[in-house]
Amino acid sequence: MAGTFLCSGDCRIRNVPLLADVNRMGQVLSALGLRLNREGDILDVDAREITTSKAPYELVTQLRASFFAIGPILARLGVAQMPLPGGCAIGARPVDLHVRGLQSMGAEVQIEHGICNAHVPGNNGRLSGAKIYLDTPSVGATETLMMAATLADGETIIDNAAREPEVVDLANFCNSMGAKIKGAGTSTITIVGVPKLHSTDYTIIPDRIEAGTLLIAGAITRSEILLSPVVPDHLIPVIAKLQEIGVSIIEEAPDCLRILPAKTLKAINIDTLPHPGFPTDMQAPFMALLTVAEGDSIINESVFENRLRHAAELNRLGADIRVKGNTAFVRGVPMLSGAPVIGTDLRASAALVIAGLAATGTTTVQGLNHLDRGYDRLDMKLQQLGAKIIRVSEASKNVDLLANGTNPPASVSI
């Protein structure tokens, strides 16, 4: 969605999920003058005119990813004003790599009163190609700078770039509009700038984290699940760890996986790493699974410094987890038991829902404002698989998932 700022025409994006974050990003695009129309999973964006270069503070502070629009807006207009995205529950995610990269491309950037002010002096307001090295393979910085470089003068090389499938998908999206990007998915991305980009009709990739979460839901409940559409290559580290635990994963078709349950789940060790390592976004759901595995497991979270808070909530369900620094020691227990718990972030909320599926009695998970940011009606999909899960409002009335971005119900009972 941020990439549509680069286009001077219409963009059609298919396979767009119903997420709170998508709704918020849509509000950011609309506030800057783009026209949006959505029908089902198809989003049409008229990006012919950007009416302002200043993004509204109250929207950007709700959605960290909206800051990534600074790259394409600056590339298109030669000026951009973007509020800093603020803190994050899972740890610090500074924007210094974004800023230094834009400065390397000729932008003057100043941060005052919580606003990042960027403009390109001279050169008709166009950024210039540059050689950029990222201290860490940040997904956000890689995507921001890659987008900015598509309309820059000359060639830009990003070294130590993030290699996640989402970076590749964004590069393919930009290329479908006429960009010249090579090397996405490797640690070196080369972009040759072009004068302008054109309209496109593009289908985004399936969500590998949602797919992994559903596979774990099958594993923890000893259930056979057929999952489609997926990209198996995007799930290699997740599949490998599930197989190590004892679960069988069969590739039924190029875009379809079947999980076969295991009678006994074995303890394993996990270290989160940037792609192609084990994804940090799967750490919390896997911790839920390991609470009922036989033996002692060790999880080392090396990507974010504050991403083990769900351990305390899993312990409320009867898990045996000790946390020391960024490492969790998980001793498997025979059974979890239902209890009221609170999701502290997006993936933590999903982990608690998964744990609740396997727990005896009723588990009530609060914090669905986190869950709905990154899962498209997860409760309904689990219902279709036979889960006894309902949404409840603060007044404990059953309600449907609110997919329109309004205030979501307070909790889900499993």
Side-chain angles (χ1 to χ4, degrees), residues 5 28 31-32 50-61 66-85 99 102 107-120:
F5 282 110
V28 173
L32 290 164
I50 303 175
T51 58
T52 177
S53 62
K54 185 176 182 179
Y57 176 87
E58 64 276 8
L59 293 179
V60 176
T61 53
S66 58
F67 184 83
F68 304 162
I70 191 172
I73 294 172
L74 184 62
R76 177 99 175 261
L77 300 181
V79 61
Q81 295 173 284
M82 190 68 63
L84 296 176
V99 170
L102 293 174
E108 293 186 358
V109 184
Q110 292 182 328
I111 298 177
E112 296 178 332
H113 309 296
I115 305 293
C116 186
N117 299 284
H119 75 280
V120 185

Side-chain angles (χ1 to χ4, degrees), residues 93-106:
R93 293 199 275 182
V95 297
D96 56 321
L97 296 180
H98 307 62
V99 170
R100 291 207 303 268
L102 293 174
Q103 289 172 332
S104 297
M105 299 170 71

Side-chain angles (χ1 to χ4, degrees), residues 129-133 149 155-159 187-192:
K131 188 172 178 62
I132 301 169
Y133 174 80
E155 180 182 82
T156 298
I157 299 174
I158 304 174
D159 280 325
S187 57
T188 301
I189 301 176
T190 302
I191 309 103
V192 177

Side-chain angles (χ1 to χ4, degrees), residues 19 59 65 86 101 134 142 162 177 202 204 212 297 349 393:
L19 303 177
L59 293 179
L134 300 179
T142 299
M177 296 189 293
Y202 189 82
I204 63 172
S297 301
S349 299
S393 68

